[in-house]
Coordinates of all heavy atoms in Angstrom, one line a residue:
M1 N -25.5 -11.1 -72.7 CA -26.9 -11.3 -73.0 C -27.5 -12.3 -72.0 O -26.8 -13.1 -71.4 CB -27.0 -11.9 -74.4 CG -28.4 -11.9 -74.9 SD -28.3 -12.0 -76.7 CE -30.0 -12.4 -77.0
G2 N -28.8 -12.3 -71.8 CA -29.4 -13.1 -70.8 C -30.2 -14.3 -71.5 O -29.8 -14.7 -72.5
I3 N -31.2 -14.6 -70.8 CA -32.0 -15.8 -71.2 C -33.3 -15.2 -71.9 O -33.8 -14.3 -71.3 CB -32.4 -16.6 -70.0 CG1 -31.2 -17.3 -69.4 CG2 -33.4 -17.7 -70.4 CD1 -31.4 -18.0 -68.1
S4 N -33.6 -15.8 -73.0 CA -34.9 -15.4 -73.6 C -35.8 -16.6 -73.5 O -35.4 -17.7 -73.3 CB -34.8 -14.9 -75.1 OG -34.2 -16.1 -75.9
V5 N -37.1 -16.4 -73.8 CA -38.1 -17.5 -73.8 C -38.8 -17.4 -75.1 O -39.2 -16.3 -75.5 CB -39.0 -17.4 -72.6 CG1 -40.0 -18.6 -72.6 CG2 -38.3 -17.3 -71.2
Q6 N -39.0 -18.6 -75.7 CA -39.7 -18.7 -77.1 C -40.7 -19.8 -77.1 O -40.6 -20.7 -76.3 CB -38.6 -19.0 -78.1 CG -37.5 -18.1 -78.3 CD -36.5 -18.5 -79.3 OE1 -36.3 -19.7 -79.5 NE2 -35.8 -17.6 -79.8
V7 N -41.7 -19.5 -78.0 CA -42.7 -20.6 -78.3 C -42.1 -21.1 -79.6 O -42.0 -20.3 -80.6 CB -44.1 -20.1 -78.4 CG1 -45.0 -21.2 -79.0 CG2 -44.6 -19.6 -77.1
R8 N -41.8 -22.4 -79.7 CA -41.3 -23.0 -80.9 C -42.2 -24.1 -81.3 O -42.8 -24.8 -80.5 CB -39.9 -23.5 -80.8 CG -38.9 -22.5 -80.6 CD -37.5 -23.1 -80.7 NE -36.5 -22.3 -80.2 CZ -35.3 -22.7 -79.8 NH1 -34.9 -23.9 -79.9 NH2 -34.4 -21.8 -79.3
T9 N -42.3 -24.3 -82.6 CA -43.0 -25.6 -83.1 C -42.1 -26.7 -83.2 O -40.9 -26.5 -83.0 CB -43.6 -25.2 -84.6 OG1 -42.5 -25.1 -85.5 CG2 -44.5 -24.0 -84.6
F10 N -42.6 -27.9 -83.5 CA -41.7 -29.0 -83.5 C -40.8 -29.0 -84.7 O -39.7 -29.7 -84.7 CB -42.6 -30.3 -83.6 CG -43.2 -30.5 -85.0 CD1 -42.7 -31.3 -86.0 CD2 -44.4 -29.9 -85.3 CE1 -43.3 -31.6 -87.1 CE2 -45.0 -30.1 -86.5 CZ -44.5 -30.9 -87.5
T11 N -41.0 -28.1 -85.7 CA -40.1 -27.9 -86.8 C -38.9 -26.9 -86.4 O -38.1 -26.6 -87.2 CB -40.8 -27.5 -88.1 OG1 -41.4 -26.3 -87.9 CG2 -41.7 -28.6 -88.5
G12 N -39.1 -26.2 -85.3 CA -38.2 -25.2 -84.9 C -38.5 -23.7 -85.2 O -37.8 -22.8 -84.9
T13 N -39.7 -23.6 -85.8 CA -40.2 -22.2 -86.1 C -40.5 -21.5 -84.8 O -41.2 -22.0 -84.0 CB -41.4 -22.3 -87.0 OG1 -41.1 -23.0 -88.2 CG2 -42.0 -20.8 -87.3
V14 N -40.0 -20.3 -84.7 CA -40.3 -19.5 -83.5 C -41.6 -18.6 -83.7 O -41.6 -17.9 -84.7 CB -39.1 -18.5 -83.2 CG1 -39.4 -17.6 -82.0 CG2 -37.8 -19.3 -82.9
E15 N -42.5 -18.9 -82.9 CA -43.8 -18.1 -83.0 C -43.9 -16.9 -82.1 O -44.7 -16.0 -82.4 CB -45.0 -19.1 -82.7 CG -45.1 -20.2 -83.7 CD -46.3 -21.0 -83.6 OE1 -46.9 -21.1 -82.5 OE2 -46.8 -21.7 -84.5
A16 N -43.2 -16.9 -81.0 CA -43.2 -15.7 -80.1 C -42.0 -15.8 -79.3 O -41.4 -16.8 -79.0 CB -44.5 -15.8 -79.3
T17 N -41.6 -14.6 -78.8 CA -40.4 -14.5 -78.0 C -40.5 -13.5 -76.9 O -41.2 -12.4 -77.1 CB -39.2 -14.0 -78.9 OG1 -39.0 -15.0 -79.9 CG2 -37.9 -13.9 -78.0
C18 N -40.0 -13.8 -75.7 CA -39.9 -12.8 -74.6 C -38.4 -12.6 -74.3 O -37.8 -13.6 -74.1 CB -40.7 -13.4 -73.4 SG -40.4 -12.4 -71.9
I19 N -38.0 -11.4 -74.3 CA -36.6 -11.1 -74.0 C -36.4 -10.2 -72.7 O -35.5 -9.4 -72.6 CB -35.9 -10.5 -75.2 CG1 -36.7 -9.2 -75.7 CG2 -35.7 -11.5 -76.4 CD1 -36.0 -8.3 -76.7
H20 N -37.3 -10.4 -71.8 CA -37.3 -9.6 -70.6 C -36.0 -9.7 -69.9 O -35.5 -10.8 -69.7 CB -38.5 -9.9 -69.7 CG -38.8 -8.9 -68.7 ND1 -38.0 -8.7 -67.6 CD2 -39.8 -8.0 -68.6 CE1 -38.5 -7.7 -66.9 NE2 -39.6 -7.2 -67.5
P21 N -35.4 -8.6 -69.4 CA -34.1 -8.6 -68.8 C -34.1 -9.4 -67.4 O -33.0 -9.7 -66.9 CB -33.6 -7.2 -68.6 CG -34.9 -6.4 -68.7 CD -35.8 -7.2 -69.6
S22 N -35.2 -9.6 -66.8 CA -35.2 -10.3 -65.5 C -35.4 -11.8 -65.6 O -35.5 -12.4 -64.5 CB -36.4 -9.7 -64.7 OG -36.1 -8.3 -64.4
I23 N -35.4 -12.4 -66.7 CA -35.7 -13.8 -66.9 C -34.6 -14.6 -66.2 O -34.8 -15.5 -65.4 CB -35.8 -14.2 -68.3 CG1 -37.1 -13.6 -68.9 CG2 -35.9 -15.8 -68.4 CD1 -37.2 -13.8 -70.4
A24 N -33.3 -14.2 -66.4 CA -32.2 -15.0 -65.7 C -32.3 -14.8 -64.2 O -32.0 -15.8 -63.5 CB -30.9 -14.3 -66.2
D25 N -32.6 -13.7 -63.7 CA -32.8 -13.4 -62.2 C -33.9 -14.3 -61.7 O -33.8 -15.0 -60.6 CB -33.1 -11.9 -61.9 CG -31.9 -11.1 -62.1 OD1 -30.7 -11.6 -62.1 OD2 -32.1 -9.9 -62.3
L26 N -34.9 -14.4 -62.4 CA -36.1 -15.2 -62.1 C -35.7 -16.7 -62.0 O -36.0 -17.4 -61.0 CB -37.2 -15.1 -63.1 CG -38.6 -15.7 -62.8 CD1 -39.1 -15.0 -61.6 CD2 -39.5 -15.5 -64.0
C27 N -34.9 -17.2 -63.0 CA -34.5 -18.6 -63.0 C -33.5 -18.8 -61.8 O -33.5 -19.9 -61.2 CB -33.7 -18.9 -64.3 SG -34.9 -18.9 -65.7
R28 N -32.6 -17.9 -61.5 CA -31.7 -18.0 -60.3 C -32.5 -18.1 -59.1 O -32.2 -18.9 -58.1 CB -30.7 -16.9 -60.3 CG -29.5 -17.0 -61.3 CD -28.5 -16.0 -61.1 NE -28.8 -14.7 -61.4 CZ -28.8 -14.2 -62.6 NH1 -28.3 -14.9 -63.6 NH2 -29.1 -12.9 -62.9
R29 N -33.6 -17.3 -58.9 CA -34.4 -17.3 -57.7 C -35.1 -18.7 -57.6 O -35.2 -19.3 -56.5 CB -35.5 -16.2 -57.8 CG -36.1 -15.9 -56.5 CD -36.8 -14.6 -56.5 NE -38.1 -14.8 -55.9 CZ -39.2 -14.4 -56.4 NH1 -39.3 -13.7 -57.5 NH2 -40.3 -14.6 -55.8
A30 N -35.5 -19.2 -58.8 CA -36.2 -20.5 -58.8 C -35.2 -21.6 -58.3 O -35.6 -22.5 -57.6 CB -36.8 -20.8 -60.1
A31 N -34.0 -21.5 -58.8 CA -33.0 -22.5 -58.4 C -32.7 -22.4 -56.9 O -32.5 -23.4 -56.2 CB -31.7 -22.3 -59.2
S32 N -32.7 -21.2 -56.3 CA -32.4 -21.0 -54.9 C -33.6 -21.6 -54.1 O -33.3 -22.0 -52.9 CB -32.2 -19.6 -54.5 OG -33.4 -18.8 -54.5
Q33 N -34.7 -21.7 -54.7 CA -35.9 -22.3 -54.0 C -36.1 -23.8 -54.4 O -37.1 -24.3 -53.9 CB -37.2 -21.5 -54.3 CG -37.1 -20.1 -53.8 CD -38.4 -19.3 -54.2 OE1 -39.4 -19.9 -54.5 NE2 -38.3 -18.0 -54.1
N34 N -35.1 -24.4 -55.1 CA -35.2 -25.8 -55.5 C -36.4 -26.1 -56.3 O -37.0 -27.2 -56.1 CB -35.0 -26.7 -54.3 CG -33.6 -26.5 -53.6 OD1 -32.6 -26.4 -54.3 ND2 -33.6 -26.4 -52.3
L35 N -36.9 -25.2 -57.1 CA -38.1 -25.5 -57.9 C -37.7 -26.5 -59.0 O -36.7 -26.3 -59.7 CB -38.7 -24.3 -58.5 CG -39.2 -23.3 -57.5 CD1 -39.7 -22.1 -58.2 CD2 -40.3 -23.9 -56.6
P36 N -38.4 -27.6 -59.3 CA -37.9 -28.7 -60.1 C -37.8 -28.4 -61.6 O -37.1 -29.0 -62.3 CB -38.9 -29.8 -59.8 CG -40.2 -29.2 -59.3 CD -39.6 -28.0 -58.6
M37 N -38.6 -27.4 -62.0 CA -38.6 -27.1 -63.5 C -37.8 -25.8 -63.7 O -36.7 -25.9 -64.3 CB -40.1 -26.9 -64.0 CG -40.9 -28.2 -63.8 SD -40.3 -29.6 -64.7 CE -41.3 -29.6 -66.0
L38 N -38.3 -24.7 -63.3 CA -37.7 -23.4 -63.6 C -36.3 -23.3 -62.9 O -35.4 -22.7 -63.4 CB -38.6 -22.3 -63.1 CG -38.2 -20.9 -63.7 CD1 -38.3 -20.8 -65.2 CD2 -39.2 -19.9 -63.1
G39 N -36.2 -24.0 -61.9 CA -34.9 -24.1 -61.1 C -33.8 -24.8 -61.9 O -32.6 -24.7 -61.5
H40 N -34.1 -25.5 -63.0 CA -33.1 -26.3 -63.7 C -32.9 -25.8 -65.2 O -32.5 -26.4 -66.0 CB -33.5 -27.8 -63.7 CG -33.3 -28.3 -62.4 ND1 -34.3 -28.5 -61.4 CD2 -32.2 -28.9 -61.8 CE1 -33.8 -29.0 -60.3 NE2 -32.5 -29.3 -60.5
V41 N -33.4 -24.5 -65.3 CA -33.2 -23.9 -66.7 C -31.7 -23.7 -66.8 O -31.0 -23.2 -66.0 CB -33.9 -22.6 -66.8 CG1 -33.5 -21.8 -68.0 CG2 -35.4 -22.9 -66.9
D42 N -31.1 -24.2 -67.9 CA -29.7 -24.0 -68.2 C -29.3 -22.6 -68.8 O -29.9 -22.3 -69.9 CB -29.3 -25.1 -69.2 CG -27.8 -25.2 -69.5 OD1 -27.0 -24.2 -69.1 OD2 -27.3 -26.2 -69.9
P43 N -28.6 -21.8 -68.1 CA -28.4 -20.4 -68.6 C -27.4 -20.4 -69.8 O -27.3 -19.3 -70.4 CB -27.7 -19.8 -67.4 CG -27.1 -20.9 -66.6 CD -27.9 -22.1 -66.8
C44 N -26.8 -21.5 -70.2 CA -25.9 -21.6 -71.3 C -26.4 -22.4 -72.4 O -25.7 -22.6 -73.5 CB -24.6 -22.2 -70.8 SG -23.8 -21.2 -69.6
D45 N -27.6 -22.9 -72.4 CA -28.1 -23.8 -73.5 C -29.7 -23.7 -73.5 O -30.3 -23.0 -72.6 CB -27.7 -25.2 -73.3 CG -27.7 -26.0 -74.6 OD1 -28.2 -25.5 -75.6 OD2 -27.3 -27.2 -74.5
D46 N -30.3 -24.4 -74.4 CA -31.8 -24.4 -74.5 C -32.3 -25.4 -73.4 O -31.7 -26.5 -73.2 CB -32.3 -24.9 -75.8 CG -32.1 -23.9 -76.9 OD1 -31.7 -22.7 -76.6 OD2 -32.4 -24.2 -78.1
T47 N -33.4 -25.0 -72.8 CA -34.1 -25.8 -71.9 C -35.5 -25.9 -72.4 O -36.2 -24.8 -72.5 CB -34.1 -25.3 -70.5 OG1 -32.8 -25.2 -70.0 CG2 -34.9 -26.3 -69.5
V48 N -36.1 -27.0 -72.8 CA -37.3 -27.1 -73.5 C -38.4 -27.8 -72.6 O -38.1 -28.8 -72.0 CB -37.1 -28.0 -74.8 CG1 -38.4 -28.1 -75.5 CG2 -36.1 -27.4 -75.7
F49 N -39.6 -27.2 -72.6 CA -40.7 -27.7 -71.8 C -41.9 -28.0 -72.8 O -42.2 -27.2 -73.6 CB -41.1 -26.7 -70.8 CG -40.1 -26.4 -69.7 CD1 -39.4 -25.2 -69.7 CD2 -39.9 -27.4 -68.7 CE1 -38.5 -24.9 -68.7 CE2 -38.9 -27.1 -67.7 CZ -38.2 -25.9 -67.8
N50 N -42.4 -29.2 -72.6 CA -43.6 -29.5 -73.5 C -44.9 -29.2 -72.8 O -44.9 -28.7 -71.6 CB -43.6 -31.0 -73.9 CG -43.6 -31.9 -72.8 OD1 -44.2 -31.7 -71.7 ND2 -43.0 -33.1 -72.9
R51 N -46.0 -29.4 -73.4 CA -47.3 -29.0 -72.8 C -47.6 -29.8 -71.4 O -48.1 -29.2 -70.5 CB -48.5 -29.4 -73.7 CG -48.5 -28.3 -74.9 CD -49.5 -28.6 -76.0 NE -50.7 -29.3 -75.6 CZ -51.6 -29.6 -76.4 NH1 -51.5 -29.4 -77.7 NH2 -52.7 -30.2 -76.0
S52 N -47.2 -31.1 -71.4 CA -47.3 -31.8 -70.1 C -46.6 -31.2 -68.9 O -47.0 -31.1 -67.8 CB -46.9 -33.2 -70.3 OG -47.7 -33.9 -71.2
Q53 N -45.4 -30.7 -69.3 CA -44.5 -30.2 -68.2 C -45.0 -28.8 -67.7 O -44.6 -28.4 -66.6 CB -43.0 -30.1 -68.7 CG -42.5 -31.4 -68.9 CD -41.1 -31.4 -69.7 OE1 -41.1 -30.7 -70.7 NE2 -40.1 -32.1 -69.3
L54 N -45.8 -28.2 -68.5 CA -46.4 -26.9 -68.1 C -47.2 -26.9 -66.9 O -47.4 -26.0 -66.2 CB -47.1 -26.2 -69.3 CG -46.2 -25.7 -70.5 CD1 -47.1 -25.0 -71.5 CD2 -45.0 -24.9 -70.1
R55 N -47.8 -28.2 -66.7 CA -48.6 -28.4 -65.5 C -47.8 -28.1 -64.2 O -48.4 -27.8 -63.1 CB -49.2 -29.8 -65.5 CG -50.4 -29.9 -66.4 CD -51.0 -31.3 -66.4 NE -50.2 -32.1 -67.4 CZ -50.2 -33.4 -67.4 NH1 -50.8 -34.1 -66.5 NH2 -49.5 -34.0 -68.3
V56 N -46.5 -28.3 -64.2 CA -45.7 -28.1 -63.0 C -45.1 -26.7 -63.2 O -45.0 -25.9 -62.1 CB -44.6 -29.2 -63.0 CG1 -43.6 -28.9 -61.8 CG2 -45.2 -30.5 -62.8
L57 N -44.6 -26.3 -64.4 CA -44.0 -25.1 -64.6 C -44.9 -23.9 -64.3 O -44.4 -22.8 -63.6 CB -43.5 -25.0 -66.0 CG -42.6 -23.7 -66.3 CD1 -41.3 -23.6 -65.6 CD2 -42.4 -23.6 -67.8
V58 N -46.2 -23.9 -64.7 CA -47.0 -22.7 -64.6 C -47.2 -22.4 -63.1 O -47.1 -21.2 -62.6 CB -48.3 -22.9 -65.3 CG1 -49.4 -21.9 -64.9 CG2 -48.1 -22.8 -66.8
P59 N -47.5 -23.4 -62.2 CA -47.7 -23.0 -60.8 C -46.3 -22.5 -60.2 O -46.3 -21.7 -59.3 CB -48.0 -24.4 -60.1 CG -48.7 -25.1 -61.2 CD -47.9 -24.7 -62.4
E60 N -45.2 -23.0 -60.7 CA -43.9 -22.4 -60.2 C -43.8 -20.9 -60.5 O -43.4 -20.1 -59.7 CB -42.8 -23.1 -60.8 CG -42.5 -24.5 -60.3 CD -41.3 -25.2 -60.8 OE1 -40.5 -24.6 -61.6 OE2 -41.1 -26.4 -60.5
L61 N -44.2 -20.7 -61.7 CA -44.1 -19.2 -62.2 C -45.1 -18.4 -61.3 O -44.8 -17.3 -60.9 CB -44.5 -19.1 -63.6 CG -43.4 -19.6 -64.6 CD1 -44.0 -19.8 -66.0 CD2 -42.2 -18.6 -64.7
Q62 N -46.3 -18.8 -61.1 CA -47.3 -18.2 -60.4 C -46.8 -17.9 -58.9 O -47.0 -16.8 -58.4 CB -48.6 -18.8 -60.4 CG -49.3 -18.8 -61.7 CD -50.5 -19.8 -61.9 OE1 -50.6 -20.8 -61.1 NE2 -51.3 -19.5 -62.9
A63 N -46.2 -19.0 -58.3 CA -45.7 -18.8 -57.0 C -44.5 -17.7 -57.0 O -44.4 -16.9 -55.9 CB -45.2 -20.1 -56.5
L64 N -43.7 -17.7 -57.9 CA -42.6 -16.7 -58.0 C -43.1 -15.3 -58.2 O -42.5 -14.3 -57.7 CB -41.6 -17.1 -59.0 CG -40.7 -18.3 -58.8 CD1 -39.9 -18.6 -60.0 CD2 -39.7 -17.9 -57.6
A65 N -44.3 -15.2 -58.8 CA -44.8 -13.8 -59.0 C -45.3 -13.2 -57.7 O -45.2 -12.1 -57.5 CB -46.0 -13.9 -60.0
N66 N -45.7 -14.1 -56.8 CA -46.1 -13.6 -55.5 C -45.0 -13.1 -54.7 O -44.0 -13.9 -54.4 CB -46.9 -14.6 -54.7 CG -48.2 -15.1 -55.3 OD1 -48.8 -14.3 -56.1 ND2 -48.6 -16.3 -55.2
G67 N -44.9 -11.9 -54.3 CA -43.8 -11.3 -53.5 C -42.6 -11.0 -54.3 O -41.6 -10.7 -53.7
S68 N -42.6 -11.0 -55.6 CA -41.4 -10.7 -56.4 C -41.4 -9.2 -56.7 O -42.4 -8.5 -56.6 CB -41.4 -11.5 -57.7 OG -42.4 -11.1 -58.5
A69 N -40.2 -8.7 -57.0 CA -40.1 -7.3 -57.5 C -40.9 -7.1 -58.8 O -41.2 -8.1 -59.5 CB -38.6 -7.0 -57.8
A70 N -41.2 -5.8 -59.0 CA -42.1 -5.5 -60.1 C -41.5 -6.0 -61.5 O -42.2 -6.5 -62.3 CB -42.2 -4.0 -60.2
E71 N -40.2 -5.9 -61.6 CA -39.7 -6.4 -62.9 C -39.7 -7.9 -63.1 O -40.1 -8.4 -64.1 CB -38.2 -6.0 -63.0 CG -37.9 -4.6 -63.5 CD -36.5 -4.4 -64.0 OE1 -35.8 -5.4 -64.2 OE2 -36.2 -3.2 -64.2
Q72 N -39.5 -8.7 -62.1 CA -39.7 -10.1 -62.1 C -41.1 -10.4 -62.3 O -41.4 -11.4 -63.0 CB -39.0 -10.8 -60.8 CG -37.6 -10.8 -60.9 CD -36.9 -11.6 -59.8 OE1 -37.6 -12.4 -59.1 NE2 -35.6 -11.4 -59.6
D73 N -42.0 -9.7 -61.6 CA -43.4 -10.0 -61.8 C -43.8 -9.8 -63.2 O -44.6 -10.6 -63.8 CB -44.2 -9.1 -60.8 CG -45.7 -9.4 -60.8 OD1 -46.1 -10.6 -60.6 OD2 -46.5 -8.5 -61.1
E74 N -43.3 -8.8 -63.9 CA -43.6 -8.5 -65.2 C -43.1 -9.6 -66.2 O -43.7 -10.0 -67.1 CB -43.0 -7.2 -65.6 CG -43.2 -6.7 -67.0 CD -42.5 -5.3 -67.3 OE1 -43.0 -4.4 -66.8 OE2 -41.5 -5.3 -68.1
A75 N -41.9 -10.1 -65.8 CA -41.3 -11.2 -66.7 C -42.2 -12.4 -66.5 O -42.4 -13.1 -67.5 CB -39.9 -11.4 -66.2
V76 N -42.7 -12.8 -65.3 CA -43.5 -13.9 -65.1 C -44.8 -13.8 -65.9 O -45.1 -14.7 -66.6 CB -43.9 -14.0 -63.6 CG1 -45.0 -15.0 -63.4 CG2 -42.7 -14.5 -62.7
H77 N -45.4 -12.6 -66.0 CA -46.6 -12.4 -66.7 C -46.3 -12.6 -68.2 O -47.2 -13.2 -68.9 CB -47.3 -11.2 -66.3 CG -47.9 -11.2 -65.0 ND1 -49.0 -12.0 -64.6 CD2 -47.5 -10.6 -63.8 CE1 -49.3 -11.9 -63.4 NE2 -48.4 -11.0 -62.9
E78 N -45.3 -12.1 -68.7 CA -44.9 -12.3 -70.1 C -44.7 -13.7 -70.5 O -45.2 -14.2 -71.5 CB -43.7 -11.5 -70.5 CG -44.0 -10.0 -70.5 CD -42.8 -9.1 -70.9 OE1 -41.9 -9.7 -71.7 OE2 -42.7 -8.0 -70.5
I79 N -44.0 -14.5 -69.6 CA -43.8 -15.9 -69.8 C -45.1 -16.7 -69.7 O -45.3 -17.6 -70.5 CB -42.8 -16.5 -68.8 CG1 -41.4 -15.8 -69.0 CG2 -42.6 -18.0 -68.9 CD1 -40.4 -16.0 -67.9
L80 N -46.0 -16.3 -68.8 CA -47.2 -17.0 -68.7 C -48.1 -16.8 -69.9 O -48.8 -17.7 -70.4 CB -48.1 -16.5 -67.4 CG -47.5 -17.0 -66.1 CD1 -48.2 -16.3 -64.9 CD2 -47.7 -18.5 -66.0
M81 N -48.0 -15.7 -70.6 CA -48.6 -15.5 -71.8 C -48.2 -16.4 -72.9 O -48.9 -16.9 -73.7 CB -48.6 -14.0 -72.3 CG -49.4 -13.0 -71.5 SD -49.5 -11.3 -72.1 CE -47.9 -10.9 -72.6
L82 N -46.9 -16.7 -72.9 CA -46.3 -17.7 -73.9 C -46.8 -19.1 -73.5 O -47.0 -19.9 -74.4 CB -44.8 -17.6 -73.8 CG -44.1 -16.3 -74.3 CD1 -42.6 -16.4 -74.2 CD2 -44.6 -15.9 -75.7
T83 N -46.9 -19.4 -72.2 CA -47.3 -20.7 -71.9 C -48.8 -21.0 -72.4 O -49.1 -22.1 -72.8 CB -47.3 -21.0 -70.3 OG1 -48.2 -20.1 -69.7 CG2 -45.9 -20.9 -69.8
A84 N -49.5 -20.0 -72.4 CA -51.0 -20.0 -72.9 C -50.9 -20.4 -74.4 O -51.7 -21.2 -74.8 CB -51.7 -18.7 -72.6
Q85 N -50.0 -19.8 -75.1 CA -49.9 -20.2 -76.5 C -49.5 -21.6 -76.7 O -50.0 -22.3 -77.6 CB -48.8 -19.3 -77.2 CG -49.2 -17.9 -77.5 CD -48.2 -17.2 -78.3 OE1 -47.6 -16.3 -77.8 NE2 -47.9 -17.6 -79.5
V86 N -48.6 -22.1 -75.9 CA -48.1 -23.5 -76.0 C -49.3 -24.4 -75.7 O -49.5 -25.5 -76.4 CB -47.0 -23.8 -75.0 CG1 -46.6 -25.2 -75.0 CG2 -45.8 -23.0 -75.5
E87 N -50.1 -24.1 -74.7 CA -51.3 -24.9 -74.2 C -52.4 -25.0 -75.3 O -53.1 -26.0 -75.3 CB -51.8 -24.4 -72.9 CG -50.8 -24.7 -71.8 CD -51.2 -24.1 -70.5 OE1 -51.9 -23.0 -70.4 OE2 -50.9 -24.7 -69.4
R88 N -52.5 -23.9 -76.1 CA -53.6 -23.8 -77.1 C -53.4 -24.7 -78.3 O -54.3 -25.2 -78.9 CB -53.8 -22.4 -77.5 CG -54.6 -21.5 -76.6 CD -55.1 -20.2 -77.3 NE -54.0 -19.4 -77.7 CZ -53.4 -18.5 -77.1 NH1 -53.7 -18.2 -75.8 NH2 -52.4 -17.7 -77.6
K89 N -52.2 -24.9 -78.6 CA -51.9 -25.7 -79.9 C -51.0 -26.8 -79.7 O -50.0 -26.8 -78.9 CB -51.2 -24.7 -80.9 CG -52.1 -23.6 -81.4 CD -51.4 -22.8 -82.5 CE -52.2 -21.6 -83.0 NZ -51.5 -20.9 -84.0
A90 N -51.2 -27.9 -80.4 CA -50.3 -29.1 -80.3 C -49.0 -28.8 -80.9 O -48.8 -27.9 -81.8 CB -51.0 -30.3 -81.0
H91 N -48.0 -29.6 -80.6 CA -46.7 -29.5 -81.1 C -45.9 -28.2 -80.9 O -45.2 -27.7 -81.8 CB -46.6 -29.9 -82.6 CG -47.3 -31.2 -82.8 ND1 -46.8 -32.4 -82.4 CD2 -48.4 -31.5 -83.5 CE1 -47.6 -33.4 -82.7 NE2 -48.6 -32.9 -83.5
R92 N -46.2 -27.6 -79.8 CA -45.6 -26.3 -79.4 C -44.8 -26.6 -78.1 O -45.2 -27.4 -77.3 CB -46.6 -25.2 -79.1 CG -47.5 -24.9 -80.3 CD -46.7 -24.3 -81.5 NE -47.5 -23.9 -82.6 CZ -48.1 -24.7 -83.5 NH1 -47.9 -25.9 -83.5 NH2 -48.8 -24.1 -84.6
Y93 N -43.7 -25.9 -78.0 CA -42.8 -26.0 -76.9 C -42.4 -24.7 -76.3 O -42.2 -23.7 -77.1 CB -41.6 -26.7 -77.3 CG -41.9 -28.1 -77.9 CD1 -42.0 -28.3 -79.2 CD2 -42.0 -29.2 -77.1 CE1 -42.4 -29.5 -79.8 CE2 -42.4 -30.5 -77.6 CZ -42.6 -30.6 -78.9 OH -43.0 -31.8 -79.5
L94 N -42.2 -24.6 -75.0 CA -41.7 -23.4 -74.4 C -40.2 -23.6 -74.2 O -39.8 -24.6 -73.6 CB -42.4 -23.1 -73.1 CG -42.1 -21.8 -72.3 CD1 -42.8 -20.7 -73.1 CD2 -42.5 -21.8 -70.9
V95 N -39.4 -22.7 -74.8 CA -38.0 -22.9 -74.8 C -37.3 -21.7 -74.1 O -37.5 -20.6 -74.6 CB -37.4 -23.0 -76.3 CG1 -35.9 -23.2 -76.2 CG2 -38.1 -24.1 -77.0
F96 N -36.5 -22.1 -73.1 CA -35.7 -21.0 -72.4 C -34.4 -21.2 -73.2 O -33.7 -22.1 -73.1 CB -35.6 -21.3 -70.9 CG -36.8 -20.9 -70.1 CD1 -37.9 -21.7 -70.2 CD2 -36.8 -19.8 -69.3 CE1 -39.1 -21.4 -69.5 CE2 -37.9 -19.5 -68.6 CZ -39.1 -20.2 -68.6
N97 N -34.0 -20.0 -73.8 CA -32.8 -20.0 -74.6 C -31.7 -19.3 -73.9 O -31.7 -18.1 -73.9 CB -33.2 -19.3 -76.0 CG -32.1 -19.3 -77.0 OD1 -31.2 -20.0 -76.9 ND2 -32.3 -18.5 -77.9
G98 N -30.8 -20.1 -73.4 CA -29.6 -19.5 -72.7 C -28.5 -19.0 -73.7 O -28.6 -19.4 -74.9
D99 N -27.6 -18.3 -73.2 CA -26.5 -17.9 -74.1 C -25.7 -19.0 -74.6 O -25.3 -19.9 -74.0 CB -25.6 -16.9 -73.3 CG -26.2 -15.5 -73.1 OD1 -27.1 -15.2 -73.8 OD2 -25.7 -14.9 -72.2

């Protein structure tokens, strides 16, 4: 299994999930480019981003979308939709859920 991305509340309730098969490849690509947020997603555990951290994460995702394969571009857009949910409501977190 790969990495999924979730919107979670502070109580742990999952409000939305993205299970795109290219998320792990996207994270590996980010690591190879030394991106400070997405490049440090742990493939074996949860990596949690709060609303403040999205100010760095979102531009990283947008940069990765430029010039990426169609599948990775699709994964980026799905994750960006989740970031919008996190930004709209307080006490929401974007969680990259590794195996």
Side-chain angles (χ1 to χ4, degrees):
M1 191 157 164
I3 299 172
S4 63
V5 183
Q6 301 174 332
V7 174
R8 289 188 199 163
T9 66
F10 72 99
T11 61
T13 302
V14 176
E15 293 188 338
T17 302
C18 171
I19 56 169
H20 198 284
S22 293
I23 295 170
D25 292 335
L26 189 66
C27 292
R28 281 190 289 276
R29 196 165 134 228
S32 74
Q33 295 180 18
N34 295 316
L35 297 177
M37 302 299 260
L38 194 58
H40 288 93
V41 167
D42 187 341
C44 300
D45 202 357
D46 287 353
T47 305
V48 181
F49 296 103
N50 63 32
R51 286 173 36 182
S52 297
Q53 293 167 318
L54 293 184
R55 286 182 268 161
V56 177
L57 182 67
V58 168
E60 287 183 6
L61 287 164
Q62 291 167 336
L64 286 171
N66 296 331
S68 66
E71 275 198 17
Q72 286 187 12
D73 186 55
E74 184 180 287
V76 167
H77 289 291
E78 288 183 24
I79 296 167
L80 286 171
M81 288 191 312
L82 296 180
T83 65
Q85 283 185 250
V86 172
E87 290 173 329
R88 278 193 303 267
K89 294 182 179 178
H91 307 296
R92 301 298 186 275
Y93 302 92
L94 188 71
V95 181
F96 283 74
N97 184 15
D99 286 340

